[in-house]
Amino acid sequence: MSDSLDSADARSRDERDVLAAFRERFVVAEEELIYLLGNSLGRLPRDTAGRLHDLVGVEWGERLIRGWNDGWIGFPQATGDRLAGLLGAEPGEVLLADSTSVNLYKLAVAALRARPDRRRIVTDDLQFPSDLYALRSAMAAAGDGYELHIAPSPDGCYGPVEALEAALDENTALLALSHTVFKSAYTYDMAALTARAHAAGALALWDVSHSVGVWPLQFRADGVDLAVGCTYKYLNGGPGAPAFLYVRRELQEQLQNPVAGWMGQEQPFEFELNYRPAAGLRRFLTGTPAVLSLLPVAFGVDLVLEAGIERVRAKSVAQTEYLIALWEEQLRPLGFELRTPREAARRASHVALAHPEGWRIAQALQAEMNVLLDFRRPDNLRLAAAPLYTTFQELHAAASRLRRVVADRLYERYSPIVTETKPVT
Ligand SMILES: *Cc1c(COP(=O)(O)O)cnc(C)c1O
């Protein structure tokens, strides 16, 4: 084969990779399995398994209820303070709680109530659907007459920046967007759009689920008001790990949690019948923290901090650039289309490739080629580079197998009808 991007070239990229050793910090149970779903469920860090075992056996098993005062009660804030280092936030501005959808709901209602004379939320049609559901729920909770303005992307890949800016008016309470779009990995200019929202008198709420852990976020420098995000993707916090929320310090006393609960009360253990919100961010807690699920988040965050987010980002750019080069050389001639921006500055850590036979290709890859990636209807295959453990050789092998499945028509053995019997795809 005359490809310039051959397997020797991939090996030499891995040899030059300054983060290569981090792969050994993760459980890799099947060396041959190419796992390109780090943007969906990150791998298990080796340390996490042992420390969880101790948490359960010693802290829960032996310390019993004393564990709360030994430290559990502070996990949401303590983990948030560590995570602040990846968000460009300060200690006391980040809290771990609930899921991303719930946090989005809480912060959106709080924001709408803080702008009571305005009735519009501006967003785009590239949003993760759950975010739209949560925004609509927030509007219903905040009162009557709200409008969700959904600016359409020109091509299903790029964010509709101009349409968003045009939609921000004197009636807009909130601009709510995913910083990185889950479909295409397009990434908005957070500082610029936040500034536009502020100029219109609106607040800005960012979902950074597909950015956190691979992108050097700068919430304070970018003037971000509110943010939420997920910890089981590039932060490797484990299935269903608690999500986080960020509220800029200056706003904390102005906003109220719409789902009040005792953990956000000023004195939870006074068992007072009236709710008085705690000072600061703790008011955004509702119920008892998920202690067992919070611990792995802290380890996941520590791994990224240890690697250094700038180095992680540099490798992410190198790997997505490499994937795009492989596409250009080997996959484009077979009918794959690139659905991810080519400019690194507008791209996070996955690459979306569309193919009319995407569904059958994904099935063949999984069944015969030992490659796990995801397929999103109608034709979108997503390949994520998780810089802490994805190798260049894996990316090279994945591209070669994609090529084989199409060139040798292996996908033809699979049904073209999208039938998915599993509950999670
Ligand atoms: C993964 C993801 C979520 C997940 O929401 P949960 O409520 O935690 O299940 C939400 N929004 C975006 C943009 C995501 O990427």
Side-chain angles (χ1 to χ4, degrees), residues 47-375:
D47 278 359
T48 298
R51 301 213 210 161
L52 253 186
H53 186 263
D54 292 344
L55 178 74
V56 173
V58 178
E59 291 196 34
W60 178 13
E62 296 173 19
R63 293 297 293 160
L64 292 165
I65 201 163
R66 293 167 289 188
W68 285 111
N69 286 326
D70 291 348
W72 298 345
I73 196 73
F75 274 18
Q77 290 95 330
T79 314
D81 288 350
R82 276 146 101 163
L83 178 55
L86 295 178
L87 304 178
E90 288 173 3
E93 292 188 314
V94 183
L95 200 64
L96 277 283
D98 305 307
S99 66
T100 304
S101 310
V102 171
N103 289 334
L104 191 79
Y105 170 83
K106 285 177 166 180
L107 295 189
V109 176
L112 295 180
R113 290 185 176 152
R115 292 284 182 279
D117 302 332
R118 295 167 174 241
R119 283 288 179 279
R120 171 179 267 202
I121 298 182
V122 173
T123 187
D124 67 20
D125 68 352
L126 300 173
Q127 273 279 33
F128 197 74
S130 189
D131 291 29
L132 294 182
Y133 310 158
L135 290 175
R136 290 199 184 99
S137 301
M139 297 188 319
D144 292 329
Y146 280 95
E147 172 214 2
L148 186 62
H149 181 93
I150 304 178
S153 162
D155 54 5
C157 171
Y158 280 78
V161 175
E162 281 167 25
L164 288 164
E165 288 175 350
L168 292 166
D169 61 9
E170 66 289 345
N171 192 35
T172 304
L174 185 65
L175 171 69
L177 291 171
S178 289
H179 175 236
T180 295
V181 164
F182 82 105
K183 286 183 181 166
S184 64
Y186 171 84
T187 302
Y188 280 105
D189 182 336
M190 188 178 261
L193 270 165
T194 299
R196 293 300 289 253
H198 289 169
L203 293 166
L205 165 52
W206 292 95
D207 185 333
V208 297
S209 291
H210 272 81
S211 306
V212 65
V214 289
W215 188 285
L217 293 158
Q218 294 293 341
F219 287 171
R220 282 213 67 92
D222 289 351
V224 172
D225 303 304
L226 306 164
V228 297
C230 181
T231 60
Y232 49 78
K233 293 170 179 163
Y234 297 114
L235 291 179
N236 307 302
F244 60 90
L245 59 84
Y246 162 88
V247 180
R248 181 155 57 86
R249 189 181 303 283
E250 295 78 2
L251 285 173
Q252 291 176 3
E253 302 297 320
Q254 297 168 36
L255 301 184
Q256 297 300 332
N257 180 357
V259 192
W262 68 321
M263 288 297 143
Q265 226 285 4
E266 195 180 10
Q267 297 284 348
F269 292 92
E270 296 289 325
F271 293 98
E272 212 180 294
L273 295 187
N274 289 320
Y275 177 78
R276 280 182 294 115
L281 193 59
R282 187 166 64 77
R283 66 181 57 188
F284 278 96
L285 286 180
T286 300
T288 305
V291 171
L292 298 183
S293 302
L294 276 167
L295 193 78
V297 177
F299 297 141
V301 169
D302 285 350
L303 268 176
V304 183
L305 287 168
E306 187 187 330
I309 189 67
E310 296 292 346
R311 293 200 301 172
V312 172
R313 169 67 182 156
K315 181 170 173 187
S316 164
V317 170
Q319 291 200 310
T320 50
E321 243 155 42
Y322 179 59
L323 266 174
I324 291 171
L326 286 165
W327 161 75
E328 186 124 58
E329 182 180 276
Q330 304 177 14
L331 300 174
R332 192 180 198 172
L334 294 170
F336 286 92
E337 255 180 61
L338 182 67
R339 292 272 173 84
T340 291
R342 278 172 175 263
E343 319 93 278
R346 296 273 66 85
R347 181 179 78 233
S349 210
H350 64 274
V351 171
L353 299 178
H355 193 285
E357 293 291 353
W359 164 246
R360 296 207 279 178
I361 293 167
Q363 286 180 93
L365 275 176
Q366 186 166 340
E368 299 178 40
M369 295 280 162
N370 228 354
V371 178
L372 282 184
L373 45 70
D374 83 8
F375 169 75

